[in-house]
Amino acid sequence: MIGSINMDYVYTVKELPRKGETLLVETFIENPGGKGANQAVAAKRLGAEVTMIGAIGKDIVGNKLKENLEKEGINVKNVKKVDFPSGNAMITVDQNGNNTILVYPGANLHIEKEDIDRCEGIIKDNDFIILQLEISIDTVLQAAKLGKKNNKKVILNPAPAKDLPEEIYQYIDYITPNETELTAMTGIEDIELAARELIKKGAKNVVVTLGEEGCYFLGKEELKVPSFKVEAIDTTAAGDSFNAALAIALGEGKEIEEALKFCNAVGAISTTKRGAQTSLPFITEVKNFYK
């Protein structure tokens, strides 16, 4: 897992604030987060051995974040400390589980290409390289390139949406945008047409997460896999849990439709609990959910 490590400050409100509006917060929680760390924890809880490559600040928050990953059983030997504040995010969640998120990257932008080069041996020792876009694009590109060079499966979760260098697509085995990110990347609102555009650019497989509608897949075949109906209270880490589940399911050799069904189940469970890492399910929960 090569990506961001943040502290999340989560505020629950009745309705998301409008422009110029001041609201009283109903509850406040401090949770470890960041897309990279969330996906690392999710993958570990689902049964993978996980190594985290990232950066934290030389501050109290950074110490807490590293200790949390260690507690989850994740290899943190390549999480470096830098002279910048640890990354953080302010998350506002309404009573329907909808959210808005403001992210301060901080230390996360100081994972350098050279750090990835130094970790090539670790890349060789792992089956999947999972990336997001809360770190430098140059670093993401280098990681994808080294992943492909060493014949590893590369999953890119293009969140938050950013312009990507055309070169990167040829290194990506699975790209996993949501609808908003897909449109931002392609300028196309039609999901199928936009997914085909990413295939044209060089991505081998496209998985579009559709929230309560499930997900859409385009690769050698085309599939729409429905979601599981649950009472969602917080969607904060649903996409992160989905991406981790994709690596787990593919690593176990599941066919793509069954793999995506598993991803939808994991994502659905995560929406029934509040917070980012606090909402990520363990594999036993997923098995019970299937039953």
Side-chain angles (χ1 to χ4, degrees):
M1 192 69 64
I2 303 171
S4 57
I5 307 169
N6 289 338
M7 186 64 81
D8 289 347
Y9 303 104
V10 185
Y11 306 84
T12 57
V13 293
K14 287 184 179 177
E15 296 179 347
L16 296 178
R18 294 181 288 270
K19 182 178 178 180
E21 184 176 20
T22 300
L23 298 177
L24 286 177
V25 171
E26 296 181 341
T27 63
F28 166 73
I29 306 171
E30 178 182 281
N31 280 325
K35 288 187 176 297
N38 290 348
Q39 292 178 25
V41 171
K44 180 64 180 174
R45 290 184 180 182
L46 294 172
E49 289 302 316
V50 183
T51 294
M52 182 83 215
I53 299 172
I56 53 175
K58 295 176 181 176
D59 49 32
I60 293 172
V61 172
N63 291 337
K64 284 184 182 178
L65 293 171
K66 190 173 183 180
E67 286 169 9
N68 179 71
L69 292 172
E70 287 178 313
K71 201 181 298 178
E72 292 284 345
I74 293 163
N75 183 333
V76 294
K77 289 178 183 175
N78 291 281
V79 172
K80 71 173 187 176
K81 290 190 172 184
V82 297
D83 292 314
F84 291 86
S86 295
N88 61 75
M90 187 185 79
I91 302 169
T92 308
V93 184
D94 73 11
Q95 60 190 355
N96 296 316
N98 300 309
N99 64 51
T100 61
I101 306 176
L102 293 173
V103 178
Y104 168 67
N108 293 305
L109 292 184
H110 299 277
I111 312 169
E112 312 289 349
K113 289 168 60 177
E114 293 74 21
D115 297 317
I116 305 305
D117 291 336
R118 281 193 294 271
C119 292
E120 185 169 2
I122 294 164
I123 288 172
K124 286 179 182 176
D125 290 341
N126 285 266
D127 299 312
F128 287 83
I129 310 303
I130 307 181
L131 302 158
Q132 319 80 29
L133 300 181
E134 288 183 338
I135 61 175
S136 155
I137 293 291
D138 288 341
T139 304
V140 172
L141 175 60
Q142 184 67 2
K145 191 182 295 186
L146 284 185
K148 194 43 55 187
K149 173 189 167 186
N150 289 286
N151 297 313
K152 306 304 175 181
K153 294 292 184 188
V154 177
I155 298 176
L156 174 63
N157 176 217
K162 292 181 182 176
D163 289 332
L164 293 174
E166 291 296 314
E167 178 189 356
I168 199 170
Y169 292 98
Q170 65 186 296
Y171 308 127
I172 298 171
D173 293 287
Y174 292 85
I175 189 166
T176 59
N178 62 23
E179 290 177 86
T180 304
E181 291 152 1
L182 181 66
T183 299
M185 292 170 72
T186 62
I188 301 170
E189 292 194 3
D190 182 275
I191 290 169
E192 293 178 25
L193 292 177
R196 291 185 192 285
E197 183 63 25
L198 296 186
I199 296 288
K200 281 183 200 171
K201 287 174 180 284
K204 292 177 182 60
N205 301 279
V206 180
V207 182
V208 186
T209 55
L210 304 171
E212 62 185 20
E213 298 301 316
C215 63
Y216 168 81
F217 172 78
L218 183 64
K220 289 183 179 177
E221 56 187 313
E222 186 176 17
L223 295 169
K224 179 89 178 284
V225 182
S227 66
F228 293 85
K229 301 302 178 188
V230 295
E231 189 172 332
I233 62 171
D234 184 356
T235 61
T236 301
D240 294 330
S241 62
F242 184 101
N243 279 275
L246 181 61
I248 297 293
L250 294 172
E252 291 176 347
K254 287 183 169 67
E255 294 297 322
I256 191 62
E257 186 168 6
E258 185 59 32
L260 293 175
K261 181 181 176 185
F262 177 75
C263 295
N264 284 344
V266 171
I269 295 167
S270 77
T271 69
T272 64
K273 294 179 275 185
R274 294 200 184 277
Q277 290 174 27
T278 51
S279 72
L280 301 171
F282 291 85
I283 189 62
T284 50
E285 291 178 78
V286 184
K287 289 177 178 176
N288 289 334
F289 183 79
Y290 268 118
K291 287 177 186 176

